[in-house]
Amino acid sequence: MNNQTLEWQALNREHHLPPFTDYKQLNAKGARIITRAEGVYLWDSEGNKILDGMAGLWCVNVGYGRKELADAAYRQMQELPYYNLFFQTAHPPAIELAKAIAEVAPEGMNHVFFTGSGSEANDTVLRMVRHYWAVKGKPQKKTVIGRWNGYHGSTVAGVSLGGMKALHEQGDLPIPGIEHIPQPYWYGEGGDMAPDEFGVWAAEQLEKKILEVGEDKVAAFIAEPIQGAGGVIVPPETYWPKIREVLARYDILFIADEVICGFGRTGEWFGSQHYGNAPDLMPIAKGLTSGYIPMGGVIVRDEIVATLNEGGEFYHGFTYSGHPVAAAVALENIRILKQEGIVQRVKNEAAPYLQKRWQELADHPLVGEARGVGMVGALELVKDKRTRARFEGGIGMLCREHCFQNGLIMRAVGDTMIISPPLVISTTEIDELIDKARRCLDLTAKAVRS
Ligand SMILES: *Cc1c(COP(=O)(O)O)cnc(C)c1O
């Protein structure tokens, strides 16, 4: 390793506490230092070129190196670098962005509450749905039902709404008033049921939980259209239709966490449109700015806005809600997505091609299932394809390491390898991604055998 890399690694150890990191492990090894990026590629401090199969953290939808986004930020910083939206003030970027989002959002969702991140968006929905029911004279409708292994961010509310037990264990979470139901993860938890049968069963767990808690105490159900961080869990075909049936029977709100699925990832503007769902609230972040600058928000259905209008002041917001520079970047990002037809291209060309090539990996001896929708995909690594038995101790991290060493970023969630490349990835770059993934699977299989 070169001296510059070693120096950065030492400083990282001495002064920085990075997120979601085992510090002892990192300190023994040293971080990989990423120094620049262009299109779908990253370069590290050793000069290695890496295909970013994860678009950063599911967010760089328009790819790296878009000068228009940098120019939008530069212009806005000179014009009005900051002003807040509290106490009856506003500024053009936030107003114009709210309108641009409403234009691509599902019918009847015409307002946006801005936040600084996806986690803050989920803190916002928790407070907003409880406030909504209180304004409607039903303050006892407080409980939010989430799903085991869902991910809704890393703040106290985000972790609580999410269903990751390892996260719950750190910090005595979830907070009261949050319940969880099983996830629609057929490959991992479907047992002897057929996928369609399991999808119905998983959706019925929502009804069971509503009845157990009492409809008069349930405020909302929260779910990602496709679970991302949980391992790109694509629900069986029967799941969302059955969930819609259950939701129609009870007077509770539906929150679709669109932080990953939003802004084109599925080939529609939002994952809810891909599945034909009609949520009441949609947390957004990530692809909203293609990750160039932090920003999140919640898109809110008109009927909820009408109730909030009668509720007096909503005592909630952030110093950086609707930050003008972030809003200017998001506006430019949406302009690029529209003008270059990127969402359409995902639907008609990129996603069909990626999914076809991704499926070819299912014949690999280590791969028990290859699945995906739009521009996300998952591979289940198993010891025995028939019984779906895993390798003892897991091999996901080993596979991830081979990917890193061979110029591909693929993330491991346990023994599920996942991808979520920039939406602008070309067909030749998809070919490269698949070739590299296969090579890394081969290397992993070889390492496991020896
Ligand atoms: C990433 C993510 C979040 C949290 O967003 P942050 O910007 O990291 O706070 C929330 N929900 C989902 C579905 C996510 O993938």
Side-chain angles (χ1 to χ4, degrees):
M1 253 174 281
N2 68 44
N3 285 338
Q4 177 67 80
T5 301
L6 291 170
E7 187 189 344
W8 276 327
Q9 287 180 337
L11 293 176
N12 194 47
R13 259 193 298 274
E14 285 160 26
H15 301 291
H16 183 210
L17 286 175
F20 280 94
T21 297
D22 178 327
Y23 299 120
K24 199 165 173 185
Q25 225 175 46
L26 176 72
N27 292 346
K29 199 171 80 171
R32 185 180 278 254
I33 314 288
I34 305 298
T35 50
R36 67 186 180 90
E38 182 65 38
V40 300
Y41 295 101
L42 304 166
W43 279 265
D44 69 12
S45 55
E46 295 291 297
N48 296 305
K49 183 181 177 186
I50 309 160
L51 200 171
D52 185 4
M54 284 302 299
L57 276 178
W58 328 79
C59 55
V60 188
N61 288 11
V62 301
Y64 297 97
R66 293 299 305 238
K67 192 164 175 302
E68 304 93 313
L69 296 180
D71 288 342
Y74 179 73
R75 277 196 309 270
Q76 187 58 45
M77 275 203 191
Q78 289 180 316
E79 180 87 22
L80 178 72
Y82 177 77
Y83 199 70
N84 70 81
L85 307 173
F86 285 31
F87 320 132
Q88 326 237 344
T89 58
H91 49 62
I95 299 166
E96 284 166 23
L97 177 59
K99 171 165 186 295
I101 293 171
E103 275 173 9
V104 295
E107 186 77 23
M109 303 188 83
N110 288 298
H111 289 73
V112 187
F113 189 105
F114 288 112
T115 69
S117 68
S119 299
E120 287 178 12
N122 282 311
D123 278 61
T124 299
V125 284
L126 180 64
R127 296 202 60 203
M128 193 180 276
V129 298
R130 287 177 174 176
H131 178 52
Y132 165 86
W133 286 115
V135 174
K136 294 204 51 128
K138 297 181 178 173
Q140 74 286 359
K141 271 173 91 70
K142 274 186 200 155
T143 300
V144 177
I145 301 172
R147 304 184 299 179
W148 292 118
N149 201 38
Y151 187 74
H152 300 296
S154 189
T155 52
V156 167
V159 168
S160 297
L161 292 166
M164 297 193 165
K165 288 181 185 163
L167 276 64
H168 287 172
E169 277 163 19
Q170 292 178 342
D172 200 15
L173 299 172
I175 53 171
I178 311 239
E179 297 280 336
H180 297 89
I181 59 171
Q183 56 178 336
Y185 179 25
W186 175 77
Y187 195 83
E189 298 174 2
D192 293 335
M193 278 188 251
D196 281 358
E197 187 189 354
F198 177 72
V200 170
W201 176 87
E204 281 169 354
Q205 302 312 301
L206 174 59
E207 180 154 44
K208 218 173 124 199
K209 184 60 83 177
I210 294 169
L211 295 173
E212 178 193 314
V213 176
E215 184 186 3
D216 59 331
K217 294 203 174 65
V218 177
F221 170 57
I222 184 167
E224 301 154 81
I226 297 163
Q227 282 158 267
V232 180
I233 291 159
V234 180
E237 299 261 324
T238 50
Y239 183 73
W240 285 117
K242 186 75 193 173
I243 289 280
R244 288 197 293 272
E245 253 178 68
V246 172
L247 288 171
R249 280 201 283 277
Y250 301 94
D251 192 17
I252 68 170
L253 298 173
F254 175 27
I255 306 161
D257 185 340
E258 292 274 2
V259 170
I260 286 175
C261 291
F263 299 94
R265 183 111 339 249
T266 65
E268 302 286 345
W269 278 91
F270 296 94
S272 295
Q273 294 159 327
H274 173 81
Y275 283 113
N277 293 341
D280 299 297
L281 303 113
M282 301 199 308
I284 52 172
K286 296 195 170 117
L288 167 60
T289 58
S290 283
Y292 278 58
I293 200 163
M295 184 176 227
V298 184
I299 312 179
V300 185
R301 186 164 290 286
D302 299 349
E303 191 264 330
I304 295 180
V305 174
T307 301
L308 296 178
N309 283 341
E310 303 306 314
E313 182 170 344
F314 183 33
Y315 300 114
H316 178 77
F318 305 101
T319 303
Y320 300 131
S321 283
H323 192 286
V325 180
V329 172
L331 257 176
E332 184 63 14
N333 181 58
I334 291 174
R335 189 197 63 75
I336 291 174
L337 286 169
K338 277 187 166 172
Q339 197 148 314
E340 298 181 8
I342 291 171
V343 182
Q344 270 301 313
R345 181 187 163 265
V346 165
K347 184 174 176 145
N348 299 331
E349 290 169 44
Y353 189 70
L354 174 70
Q355 296 302 335
K356 173 177 140 303
R357 298 248 34 216
W358 190 247
Q359 275 307 320
E360 292 169 17
L361 297 171
D363 71 5
H364 193 277
L366 286 185
V367 176
E369 180 182 74
R371 61 169 179 267
V373 166
M375 301 303 278
V376 292
L379 301 174
E380 296 283 3
L381 304 188
V382 290
K383 193 166 161 186
D384 184 330
K385 290 194 187 216
R386 196 181 52 80
T387 63
R388 299 182 232 157
R390 304 283 185 179
F391 285 93
E392 255 166 70
I395 58 168
M397 287 307 278
L398 177 68
C399 182
R400 176 177 174 271
E401 205 51 46
H402 281 299
C403 291
F404 243 135
Q405 297 305 332
N406 289 277
L408 172 66
I409 290 190
M410 211 172 15
R411 183 163 149 190
V413 178
D415 280 353
T416 310
M417 303 308 297
I418 58 178
I419 54 155
S420 170
L423 306 187
V424 297
I425 188 170
S426 70
T427 48
T428 22
E429 289 161 345
I430 290 173
D431 290 338
E432 182 189 338
L433 188 157
I434 301 293
D435 290 348
K436 284 188 163 155
R438 186 176 288 278
R439 178 149 17 103
C440 298
L441 289 168
D442 287 343
L443 290 166
T444 306
K446 204 168 141 205
V448 171
R449 276 197 303 269
S450 66

